[in-house]
DNA sequence: GTTTTTGAACTGACCAGTCAGTCTAAAAAC
DNA sequence: GTTTTTAGACTGACTGGTCAGTTCAAAAAC
């Protein structure tokens, strides 16, 4: 309801300044660029406010596109969100796997692999803090449309950690009494919460610093004199 | 909007089992019972759906009271939520502090104190899983009305862990190179995520079982043969 | 007689999703 | 080379519905 009468006609469609033809990979990449802008806008807004409290109008505005464009590119608000989740966790999983494999290639121990994965996790969170926030906030909710997506995607990431633990047990490096699933969850939690604390409350600290603190904890070098 | 005719009369106000009046002055306990029902209804709904996606009508319905009653007892939806947060974290903090103090009274080591706190955390999460879920989901959000409440309340809980770590460093039980703040966050994260994983994905396991797994991790008994 | 609860209607803001129409660049027709 | 057509991308006013919060008289509880 506009406060008073309004032209209601676009009249002169102002040219949108620097569009610059986007280029990138020649063909239909304009669309892809728009989707990327929408992801970026959505991830920060939803991390700050939550899914339901974030409006499609806000997302469109921050991305610098019209609301209709959101619906031209995504079937709905929740589909946009789901694709965002899949995309983000895909990056994380790849990064963890890469860390584990590289350690294996260098004949490192499985503890080294865990340590490398801790670092990879920190690097990820350092790079995508908003995504991490949002992910944590949604992970344990029930009754949400994207629950199953989240489940699948979570399992992919945790499975990488579980795999390393299992290898360690198999080759005798870890006690065969450890509970793989629970230990993996605990390790993920350790990194997740420590990193979010870092980003939220002491962002000035360096990644190496944080990594060192977690390494110590991971390797049980807490007890006893330094 | 009931689909058809409905009793609509509360008739017998069922007393909630073991509520035991407790707080406030002896007088207005009827009101207190209503508030308690509203807390319980709100906590599960918000844990499942998030704050914004949960309507006041739903909360009232699940609590079995009229919508007007919600506003008779709380100034607004967010005030209800804020008081819920304060209440819940108060319980957790008390429980952690109790665990730490009891260990101290028994001349236990600081590792024992940490272990006791891990257990206290698990007991809490076992008892109030919905609250925990909701708390984690809101903790790292920014731009929310109750942000400052959350901050204060988080600090109270983490401070208990930090205190034990500090004592341990002071008496030489822990390395003086540990980063107290970060380590405390990591420990909290370890318990939190492992416990949520437990409740979400393997609820049939016993608390002792989960506690044992975390103890092992905490005491660095992961590496090496069992 | 005071406090608390009820129930149901109401308001006004807000918001997801729609749709008719615009823009543009490139292909097709001339 | 110029005009016309096509189709993909985008626009933004508009619709239909939802929901927080209000109101209040009457009933119930204490």
């Amino acid at each position: 309801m506009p406060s008073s009468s309004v032209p209601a006609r676009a009249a002169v469609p102002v040219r949108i300044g620097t569009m610059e033809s986007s280029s990138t990979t020649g063909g239909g990449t304009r669309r892809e660029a728009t989707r990327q802008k929408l992801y970026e806008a959505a991830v920060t807004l939803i991390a700050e406010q939550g899914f339901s409290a974030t409006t499609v109008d806000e997302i469109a505005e921050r991305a610098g596109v019209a609301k209709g464009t959101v619906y031209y590119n995504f079937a709905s608000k929740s589909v946009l969100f789901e694709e965002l989740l899949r995309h983000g966790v895909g990056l994380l999983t790849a990064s963890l796997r890469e860390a584990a494999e590289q350690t294996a290639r260098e004949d490192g121990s499985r503890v080294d692999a865990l340590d490398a994965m801790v670092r990879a996790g920190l690097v990820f969170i350092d790079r995508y803090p908003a995504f991490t926030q949002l992910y944590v906030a949604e992970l344990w909710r029930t009754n949400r449309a994207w629950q199953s997506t989240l489940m699948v995607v979570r399992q992919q990431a945790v499975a990488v950690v579980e795999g390393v633990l299992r290898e360690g047990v198999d080759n005798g490096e870890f006690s065969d009494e450890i509970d793989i699933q629970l230990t993996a969850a605990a390790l993920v939690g350790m990194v997740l919460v420590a990193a979010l604390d870092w980003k939220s409350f002491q962002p000035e600290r360096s990644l190496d610093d944080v990594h060192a603190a977690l390494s110590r904890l991971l390797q049980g070098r807490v007890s006893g004199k330094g």
Side-chain angles (χ1 to χ4, degrees), chain A:
Chain A
M1 292 55 193
S3 47
S4 62
S5 75
V6 156
R9 189 58 55 80
V12 185
V14 183
R15 173 128 308 152
I16 306 179
T18 27
M19 206 40 233
E20 210 58 42
S21 81
S22 76
S23 62
T24 46
T25 33
T29 322
R30 173 151 159 247
R31 189 147 191 221
E32 205 44 53
T34 302
R35 291 169 77 102
Q36 188 63 33
K37 279 194 292 184
L38 285 169
Y39 280 153
E40 279 162 23
V43 81
T44 53
L45 285 168
I46 296 178
E48 284 166 8
Q49 307 176 324
F51 176 82
S52 304
T54 300
T55 69
V56 174
D57 287 283
E58 281 177 308
I59 297 174
E61 190 189 346
R62 182 166 303 188
V65 302
K67 187 179 190 177
T69 304
V70 176
Y71 286 94
Y72 181 75
N73 284 282
F74 297 96
S76 68
K77 184 185 172 187
S78 25
V79 167
L80 162 56
F81 184 56
E82 259 182 274
E83 298 198 9
L84 188 58
L85 283 174
R86 242 189 291 267
H87 182 67
V89 181
L91 291 177
L92 173 61
T93 306
S95 174
L96 290 179
R97 197 167 286 150
E98 160 69 16
E101 282 168 5
Q102 175 158 355
T103 313
R105 247 179 278 122
E106 296 169 353
D107 293 321
S109 67
R110 295 300 79 191
V111 176
D112 290 338
L114 285 181
D115 197 63
M117 286 166 69
V118 167
R119 173 166 274 266
L122 290 175
V123 168
F124 181 86
I125 297 172
D126 189 31
R127 183 117 126 205
Y128 310 105
F131 178 82
T132 308
Q133 246 169 280
L134 161 173
Y135 179 70
V136 169
E138 292 296 332
L139 187 54
W140 292 284
R141 288 217 195 296
T142 49
N143 294 356
R144 303 226 84 170
W146 49 82
Q147 252 262 277
S148 55
T149 299
L150 219 42
M151 223 70 294
V152 169
V153 118
R154 178 204 97 100
Q155 192 46 38
Q156 287 171 2
V158 174
V160 182
V161 179
E162 291 178 348
V164 171
L165 287 175
R166 198 166 289 116
E167 291 167 13
V169 170
D170 287 348
N171 74 16
E173 191 180 337
F174 299 145
S175 158
D176 60 4
E177 285 186 355
I178 69 171
D179 182 312
I180 289 180
Q181 193 176 342
L182 220 45
T183 305
L187 290 174
V188 169
M190 187 186 96
V191 175
L192 215 52
V193 174
L196 287 171
D197 191 272
W198 163 37
K199 285 284 136 189
S200 300
F201 309 122
Q202 17 182 10
E204 72 285 358
R205 304 189 53 167
S206 75
L207 197 153
D208 284 333
D209 209 13
V210 177
H211 182 206
L214 293 183
S215 273
R216 210 182 317 260
L217 190 55
L218 178 68
Q219 294 172 19
R221 286 189 282 110
V222 169
S223 302
K225 289 202 181 297

